[in-house]
Amino acid sequence: MLAMTPCNSPWLQFKPTSYPSLANDTASDVAVVGAGISGVTTLYSLLTTTNKHVVLLERDRVASGATGHNAGLALPLMEKPFSELVSMLGEEKARKLYAELDEG
């Protein structure tokens, strides 16, 4: 297994994008503070499932804090047992779902 250090973290390998600092007050329905994994996921969810005006506030770079200095691992996981998925989707679609998770 590859040991990750801050200098070779995959999260910090992206070219930084600069955004201007806030010069004035701004109004929004929701303010998400922090652009780590949780903040960006919250932002995405709010933007894709609501009509809220959302702002993302970050003091440095996206994923530059705890997210950028860990070796986080995402694993595909089903919240329902295969038998329940078969009941809901049919066996062919349930198997396809697992195959797509494995491929991802």
Side-chain angles (χ1 to χ4, degrees):
M1 176 175 269
L2 176 65
M4 302 305 283
T5 62
C7 63
N8 69 0
S9 169
W11 301 106
L12 298 177
Q13 298 303 312
F14 297 98
K15 181 179 176 184
T17 303
S18 295
Y19 296 98
S21 296
L22 288 176
N24 300 306
D25 290 346
T26 189
S28 68
D29 297 315
V30 179
V32 178
V33 180
I37 290 174
S38 297
V40 171
T41 302
T42 301
L43 173 74
Y44 177 81
S45 178
L46 287 166
L47 290 175
T48 58
T49 64
T50 73
N51 290 323
K52 302 282 186 192
H53 180 247
V54 186
V55 295
L56 176 64
L57 304 171
E58 172 57 49
R59 72 182 171 113
D60 195 11
R61 296 176 37 195
V62 171
S64 65
T67 295
H69 293 90
N70 72 44
L73 178 63
L75 298 173
L77 176 67
M78 298 306 281
E79 295 178 0
K80 298 185 182 299
F82 184 74
S83 59
E84 191 173 336
L85 290 172
V86 169
S87 296
M88 293 171 54
L89 306 171
E91 186 171 347
E92 182 180 337
K93 287 184 180 178
R95 288 190 184 282
K96 183 176 180 183
L97 180 61
Y98 271 88
E100 289 179 2
L101 279 175
D102 285 341
E103 187 178 316

